[in-house]
Each structure stands twice: as structure tokens, then as C-alpha cells.
Amino acid sequence: MESKEMLSERRICQCCGMPLTDDLLGRNRDGSPNEAYCKWCYADGVFTYSDMEELIDVCIPHMVEQGFAEDQARVYMKEMLPKLDYWKRYEQLSDNGQFDEFKRQLIDEINALSVEGMPKVEKLNSLVGSYVNLAYRLPNGVEVKFLDDESTYLGTQLEAEFNTHTCDHTAADRCFGVIACADFILIATYGAQGADPELVLYKKR
């Protein structure tokens, strides 16, 4: 029988340290759940992080929202991540840069679209479909979602260059949301908390 320590270790993501529940498990290539990783760090049999510092930068804002001081959170992550199985066995588990090259290719394709008002994309992070699957109203009035809630995508949020900054600027500001995968690129704009989303572009790859 496993000790409490072993069970505890198994139920945190062995890449980012996030506590794991069944709905947060990553998926293997065959669609089966992987008990060791969350779906942000491991999607369809592919690890989504190869740079520990990048992962820390992604995690820090979420930890701050939970009450951590930023400096405290960064120190904690720097101490904790090297102890996790993925980073201890990185050379064995990594794909020799193939996924990073795929992300660079996606970034080049997105920037080549030259969407008016959208800054250049510098990096893409892992995003779970259920968190970013907005409903867009089509010209015929029908609202449509384009993503799979259970899938993991690559994406980012960028502040629109055409925003008007005033003393009370929240109503005027809009962001670009970029979602991409092997099959398509989706670009949209929306207000605070995803309000009033508008589809800008949906391009099959």
C-alpha cells in the first residue's frame, strides 16, 4: 500500500506542481488520461513546456490571484519545480525541440496574417478549451463555439493597439485573443472577462 506521501506526490502535476483532479488530467495520444500531468502541461501525448522560466512566468499571475506575494511565489516555484519528475528527467522525456519548433512556426504564421490593431505575437502558452471557448455571434444571429472544451490549445491575449485610454478606460479597451493548433488559427477580440466577443479570423491550416 502506498504511503500518504506517495499518493500526494502522484496527485500533483509532475511538470508544474498543480494539484490534480480527474477533470484536470492530461491526455495521452490515445485519449486516455495521464495520472502524472495536468492538461496544461501535457496534451495529446506532447509536453507543452521546455523552459522552466517560461512555465514559472505563466504560473506566477495565477498564484498571485490566490494570495501569494509575487516574490514568494517565484522563490517557491524555483525550489519546487526541479524536484518534479518531468524536470528531473527532462533530457529523457523531452522531444528535442520539436514542439518548440512547432510553436515558432505557428507564431510566424499568425504574425504573417498582419491583423490590423493586433501586436506581434511573441509567445504562445497552453490553454484549455473550456477556459477560452467563447461563443461568437454569426451574421445570421446564431452563436457558435469553435473549440473543444476538452482539448488543449496554444494561445495568448494581447491588448489591442487601437484602444482608447481615458480616465475610465475599461469600457473602451479590448483585447485580441489568439488560439491555434495543428488544424487552425482563430483570432478574436473581446472586452473585460471575455465580454462581447467578436470573431476576427478563423483560418484552417
Side-chain angles (χ1 to χ4, degrees), residues 5-190:
E5 288 76 17
M6 293 177 66
L7 286 172
S8 176
E9 184 177 0
R10 282 187 57 201
R11 296 305 292 182
I12 66 170
C13 175
Q14 292 298 306
C15 178
C16 71
M18 176 182 181
L20 289 176
T21 55
D22 289 345
D23 61 319
L24 297 179
L25 295 177
R27 297 283 171 178
N28 299 311
R29 290 188 184 278
D30 62 3
S32 61
N34 187 297
E35 296 282 343
Y37 301 100
C38 75
K39 53 189 175 183
W40 284 272
C41 294
Y42 187 77
D44 299 323
V46 177
F47 290 102
T48 59
Y49 287 101
S50 60
D51 185 326
M52 191 182 294
E53 289 297 326
E54 179 184 346
L55 174 58
I56 290 173
D57 287 341
V58 170
C59 292
I60 293 299
H62 300 289
M63 297 179 70
V64 170
E65 288 178 0
Q66 295 171 8
F68 282 83
E70 182 173 342
D71 290 346
Q72 177 190 19
R74 191 170 296 278
V75 169
Y76 172 77
M77 293 293 286
K78 283 181 176 291
E79 291 179 352
M80 184 264 294
L81 291 185
K83 300 175 183 177
L84 298 178
D85 190 59
Y86 174 69
W87 298 107
K88 287 195 293 187
R89 298 197 297 140
Y90 176 72
E91 290 189 7
Q92 174 187 347
L93 295 173
S94 67
D95 62 359
N96 296 315
Q98 293 180 31
F99 189 67
D100 284 340
E101 179 57 35
F102 171 63
K103 286 199 289 187
R104 283 192 289 271
Q105 180 181 345
L106 273 178
I107 289 171
D108 289 343
E109 289 181 28
I110 293 165
N111 288 332
L113 295 171
S114 299
V115 175
E116 183 178 359
M118 189 176 84
K120 293 291 185 183
V121 174
E122 300 292 339
K123 63 180 181 179
L124 297 170
N125 298 315
S126 299
L127 300 170
V128 175
S130 60
Y131 289 81
V132 292
N133 198 6
L134 303 178
Y136 303 99
R137 187 178 296 277
L138 301 182
N140 62 5
V142 176
E143 292 192 347
V144 176
K145 291 184 176 183
F146 291 89
L147 307 181
D148 178 354
D149 284 350
E150 299 303 317
S151 293
T152 302
Y153 301 93
L154 290 169
T156 190
Q157 177 175 286
L158 303 164
E159 184 176 336
E161 293 178 339
F162 49 67
N163 282 338
T164 301
H165 292 278
T166 64
C167 293
D168 183 18
H169 64 275
T170 54
D173 284 0
R174 289 182 71 78
C175 292
F176 280 98
V178 179
I179 303 291
C181 65
D183 299 322
F184 65 83
I185 295 170
L186 183 154
I187 299 175
T189 64
Y190 45 79

